[in-house]
Amino acid sequence: MSESLHVVCPHCHTTNRVQSSQLGSAPDCGSCHRPLFTGHSTALDEAAFDRHVGRNQIPVLVDFWAPWCGPCIQMAPAFEQAAAQLEPQFRLAKVDTEAVPALGARFGIRSIPTLALFSAGREVARQAGAMGSADIVRWAKAQLP
């Protein structure tokens, strides 16, 4: 039996109800009609972050980064490759700690890049340092039952 899940649109940030059995069938947003899963990460500001972490019923993997950070820039393509592999079981998002310093402060981000995994609105795991796409995928999947 398929359960109904809340999935936040990466484009307009509207919360959608999607049957779990339909996640892999390229569901569209009921509001903006764009794909709910694009195989790419979503850049979040503070309001969008709160909505994605608080309302998504799929885990949200967040890359806290900054544009001046060399390892962050190096890891960016690997994070995008991981998004293509982890969606639709995960939502991948990026928070630019330079543009949205309040989020970095709220979560005590001390080094970047830092990956934080959120499930049911709470942080469940954190990993600092740049990783390749296979390591990101393996780490994310290993954090959840």
Side-chain angles (χ1 to χ4, degrees), residues 45-117:
D45 61 16
E46 199 166 0
F49 176 91
D50 289 337
R51 179 163 285 195
H52 279 267
V53 168
R55 299 217 179 128
N56 262 316
Q57 288 182 302
I58 55 173
V60 180
L61 179 59
V62 179
D63 173 17
F64 288 92
W65 71 287
W68 50 262
C69 164
C72 297
I73 302 304
Q74 285 181 303
M75 188 175 88
F79 194 71
E80 291 304 308
Q81 290 167 351
Q85 294 175 54
L86 288 169
E87 283 190 348
Q89 290 76 33
F90 292 79
R91 164 75 66 220
L92 273 70
K94 293 179 77 76
V95 170
D96 177 350
T97 58
E98 194 84 351
V100 194
L103 283 174
R106 188 194 321 173
F107 291 98
I109 302 299
R110 300 275 177 259
S111 64
I112 50 175
T114 291
L115 295 181
L117 183 62

